Amino acid sequence: MTISIDAVATKSGESALSQAEPCVIVIFGATGDLTKRKLMPALCHLARQGALAEATLIIGVDREPIGTEDFRALMQSAVREAKGAQSFDADAWRQFAQKLDYFACDLKEPGHYAGLAARIQDLNGGALGNRLYYCATPPMLVAPIIDGIGQSGLADETPGWARIIIEKPFGRDLTSAQALSDTIARVFLEHQVYRIDHYLGKETVQNILVFRFGNALFEPVWNRNHIDYVEITAAETLGIGHRGGYYEEAGALRDMVTNHLMQLLALIAMEPPIAFDADAVRDKKIQVWRTIKPMAATEVAAKTVRGQYGTGRIESNVVPGYREEPSVASDSNTETYVAAEFRIENWRWAGVPFYLRTGKRLAQGVTELAVHFKRPPQPLFADRTELIEPNVIVLRIHPNEGIDISFDAKQPGVEMRTANVRMDFCYQQAFNMRIPEAYETLLLDGLCGDATLFTRRDGVEAQWRLIDPILAAWRQQPPESFPNYAAGSEGPKTADELLARNGHQWRLLNTRVASTHQTGAKKSL
Ligand code: BG6
C-alpha cells in the first residue's frame, strides 16, 4: 500500500505520501460524472499532498468540443462542488490547473487516437513516457478505447510504462467478462491492467487484513470452531437517482455483489497470504471464490432473496418506489435488494454460513461485516445457554468507521447479573487524521504500480462463476411480488426467513446503537 499506517502525520493531520514517478494521466470520459465527482478531486488532493511529481500532466479526453481553458473551468467548479466552497483552496487549484490539458475526440473512433499520441508527445518533450490511462466511461466505450490505444501504439511500454485503470462493470456475466478481458488482452498485458473496485480503496476495508493478520489475538479463533456465522451488509438509503438507465440493466446483484460484497467476503475469509504483494494477496482471495460451490439451479430459490423498493419514507420524506424513478419501466422486475447465503467449502469454514445483503432505500446507510461467535458451551451464569449473548465483532466500513466487539460483563450489584457491553474502536478518535478518499488511494497505487487493491482477470471470472447461476435461475422465475419492501424499511421479510432457517438473524439497520437484533439489555441468573 502506498500510504503507510506508521506514516508521520503532517501539519494538516494527514499522512506523508509516496511521490509517484512523473507521468501523463489520460482520462477518457473527462467531462463525465466520475471524473467530476471523484477523479479530479482525488488528483487535486494528491497534487496538494506532493504525491504527483512536478512534471505530471493530466489530459482529459472526451467528445465535447471544448478547449483546455474551458476544461479547466469545468473541473474547477466540479472540484469546488465536491470539496465544498469552504475547503476549496484557490491557490492550490491554480497550481494544479497548470497540469490539465484537454483533447477532444470521438472515443469510438480508433483513428482519432493518433492525434492523442501526438498531443502526448507534444506536451511531454517528444516522448510518450510513462502513461496511466483511466477509462471513466460507460462500458460500451471500453472496447473502442482499447482498440484506439492499441492502434496508435499508446500501450507500448518502451520507453516508459503504460497502465490502464478500468471501472466496473467487468462484463454482465462470465461470457461477456471473458470477452472484455480478451479485448483488453489484445492490447495490454495483464500486469498493465488495473480493474478498479473502489471498496478496496476504503481505509476500513484495507483494515480487515490488518485486523486479521496483524494481531495474534483474532486469527486463532477465525474459523468454524468458534464462528457461528458472518453477515456482510451494504445498505443504502439512497435510491437510484438519475442512474435508472444503467440500473435497469444491472440490478443490485451485478451492481454490488459481483465486486464489492464478493471482495469483502474474500477479505474476511481468505487464508493469510505469504506476502503483502499484489499476486500473493490476490491469489488467496481468488482461492476463496473458487472454494464456494456455485449454486445449483434448484438451490437458488432457497439461498437467495431479491427485492425491489416501493414508495416509503426516508428520514420522514416520502420517496417514490423504484418503478416510479426516472428511466425505469413501470413494470420493472429489476432487483434493488439482494440477500444470499454462501458456503465456503474448505477446512476453515466448513458449516459456517456467510450471508450477504445489499439494497437501495433501506432504513439506514450501513456497510459492515459482523462476525458472530458461538455461545460458550456451558451456561455458568445463566440457567439456559441461549440466554448468554454470543460475542460479535463488527468491522464498520461506514458510517463511524471502526471496530466494535461485544461481550458479556457482570452488571454492578450484589446479584450475579450479566449484560452485553461493547468495546468500540473509532478511526476518527484513534488517529485524528483525515481518512483518504478511496479514489486517492487507488489512483496513487495505480501511479506507483501497486496492483494489490485491483482485481485480476481470474478474480473477475471466479466471481462471475458464482453469480451466473443465480442470474440464470432468476431469469427462469420472474419475481412474483415486486415491489416487496417499502423505502426506509429493513428490506423484504423473506430475507429474515433466509437466516431464520438456520436460527440466525440480521442485525437491525435502524437501531445502530443496539449491537444485535437479539440484544436483551439484562439477563439474570
Ligand atoms: C457503486 C454502485 O459501485 O457503489 C452504486 O454502482 C453504489 O450503486 C456505490 O451506490 C456504493 O458505494 P459507497 O462507497 O457509497 O458504499
Side-chain angles (χ1 to χ4, degrees), residues 168 198-199 202 236 243 255-256 260 360:
K168 78 173 184 68
H198 80 277
Y199 263 51
K202 291 176 188 254
E236 296 179 90
R243 297 167 76 217
D255 185 47
M256 290 293 288
H260 307 328
K360 302 278 184 201

Short mmCIF file of all heavy atoms in Angstrom, two decimals, residues 168 198-199 202 236 243 255-256 260 360, ligand 1:
data_model
loop_
_atom_site.label_atom_id
_atom_site.label_comp_id
_atom_site.label_asym_id
_atom_site.label_seq_id
_atom_site.Cartn_x
_atom_site.Cartn_y
_atom_site.Cartn_z
N LYS A 168 -15.65 -0.78 -13.18
CA LYS A 168 -16.68 -1.79 -13.33
C LYS A 168 -17.85 -1.20 -14.12
O LYS A 168 -17.93 0.02 -14.16
CB LYS A 168 -17.12 -2.29 -11.96
CG LYS A 168 -18.06 -1.34 -11.22
CD LYS A 168 -18.56 -2.00 -9.98
CE LYS A 168 -19.57 -1.19 -9.24
NZ LYS A 168 -20.86 -0.97 -9.84
N HIS A 198 -13.76 0.36 -6.02
CA HIS A 198 -13.43 1.44 -5.08
C HIS A 198 -13.54 0.99 -3.62
O HIS A 198 -12.94 1.59 -2.74
CB HIS A 198 -14.26 2.70 -5.36
CG HIS A 198 -15.66 2.67 -4.83
ND1 HIS A 198 -16.70 2.07 -5.50
CD2 HIS A 198 -16.19 3.17 -3.70
CE1 HIS A 198 -17.80 2.21 -4.80
NE2 HIS A 198 -17.54 2.87 -3.69
N TYR A 199 -14.27 -0.12 -3.36
CA TYR A 199 -14.35 -0.60 -1.98
C TYR A 199 -12.96 -0.96 -1.44
O TYR A 199 -12.68 -0.80 -0.27
CB TYR A 199 -15.27 -1.83 -1.89
CG TYR A 199 -16.66 -1.46 -1.45
CD1 TYR A 199 -17.35 -0.43 -2.08
CD2 TYR A 199 -17.28 -2.12 -0.39
CE1 TYR A 199 -18.62 -0.07 -1.68
CE2 TYR A 199 -18.55 -1.75 0.01
CZ TYR A 199 -19.21 -0.73 -0.63
OH TYR A 199 -20.46 -0.37 -0.23
N LYS A 202 -11.07 1.76 0.31
CA LYS A 202 -11.55 2.33 1.57
C LYS A 202 -10.61 1.90 2.69
O LYS A 202 -10.26 0.72 2.79
CB LYS A 202 -12.97 1.84 1.87
CG LYS A 202 -14.03 2.40 0.91
CD LYS A 202 -15.38 1.79 1.23
CE LYS A 202 -16.40 2.19 0.18
NZ LYS A 202 -17.36 3.17 0.62
N GLU A 236 -28.03 1.01 1.70
CA GLU A 236 -28.03 2.44 1.35
C GLU A 236 -29.42 3.02 1.55
O GLU A 236 -30.41 2.32 1.34
CB GLU A 236 -27.63 2.62 -0.12
CG GLU A 236 -26.24 2.16 -0.44
CD GLU A 236 -25.92 2.34 -1.91
OE1 GLU A 236 -25.43 3.41 -2.29
OE2 GLU A 236 -26.17 1.40 -2.68
N ARG A 243 -29.63 7.28 -12.25
CA ARG A 243 -28.94 6.16 -12.90
C ARG A 243 -29.88 5.05 -13.36
O ARG A 243 -29.48 3.90 -13.53
CB ARG A 243 -27.90 5.57 -11.95
CG ARG A 243 -26.80 6.56 -11.57
CD ARG A 243 -26.02 6.03 -10.40
NE ARG A 243 -25.10 4.98 -10.76
CZ ARG A 243 -24.84 3.92 -10.00
NH1 ARG A 243 -25.47 3.77 -8.85
NH2 ARG A 243 -23.96 3.01 -10.38
N ASP A 255 -24.59 -4.97 -9.63
CA ASP A 255 -24.04 -3.67 -9.24
C ASP A 255 -23.19 -3.76 -7.96
O ASP A 255 -22.18 -3.07 -7.84
CB ASP A 255 -25.20 -2.69 -9.03
CG ASP A 255 -24.74 -1.28 -8.75
OD1 ASP A 255 -23.86 -0.79 -9.48
OD2 ASP A 255 -25.24 -0.66 -7.79
N MET A 256 -23.59 -4.57 -7.03
CA MET A 256 -22.94 -4.55 -5.71
C MET A 256 -22.31 -5.88 -5.29
O MET A 256 -21.32 -5.90 -4.57
CB MET A 256 -23.95 -4.15 -4.62
CG MET A 256 -24.39 -2.71 -4.68
SD MET A 256 -23.08 -1.52 -4.30
CE MET A 256 -22.85 -1.74 -2.54
N HIS A 260 -18.10 -5.51 -4.96
CA HIS A 260 -17.88 -5.00 -3.61
C HIS A 260 -18.10 -6.09 -2.54
O HIS A 260 -17.25 -6.32 -1.69
CB HIS A 260 -18.79 -3.82 -3.33
CG HIS A 260 -18.73 -2.73 -4.34
ND1 HIS A 260 -17.57 -2.42 -5.03
CD2 HIS A 260 -19.66 -1.86 -4.79
CE1 HIS A 260 -17.80 -1.40 -5.86
NE2 HIS A 260 -19.07 -1.05 -5.73
N LYS A 360 -30.94 -0.76 -1.95
CA LYS A 360 -31.16 0.69 -2.03
C LYS A 360 -32.38 1.01 -1.17
O LYS A 360 -33.25 0.17 -0.97
CB LYS A 360 -31.47 1.09 -3.47
CG LYS A 360 -30.40 0.73 -4.48
CD LYS A 360 -29.29 1.74 -4.49
CE LYS A 360 -28.27 1.45 -5.56
NZ LYS A 360 -26.99 2.09 -5.31
C1 BG6 B 1 -21.16 1.70 -6.74
C2 BG6 B 1 -22.53 1.27 -7.17
O1 BG6 B 1 -20.19 0.83 -7.26
O2 BG6 B 1 -21.08 1.70 -5.33
C3 BG6 B 1 -23.58 2.19 -6.57
O3 BG6 B 1 -22.62 1.30 -8.59
C4 BG6 B 1 -23.43 2.26 -5.08
O4 BG6 B 1 -24.89 1.74 -6.91
C5 BG6 B 1 -22.00 2.59 -4.70
O5 BG6 B 1 -24.30 3.27 -4.60
C6 BG6 B 1 -21.80 2.46 -3.20
O6 BG6 B 1 -20.54 2.93 -2.87
P1 BG6 B 1 -20.26 3.56 -1.43
O7 BG6 B 1 -18.81 3.89 -1.45
O8 BG6 B 1 -21.15 4.76 -1.33
O9 BG6 B 1 -20.63 2.49 -0.44
#
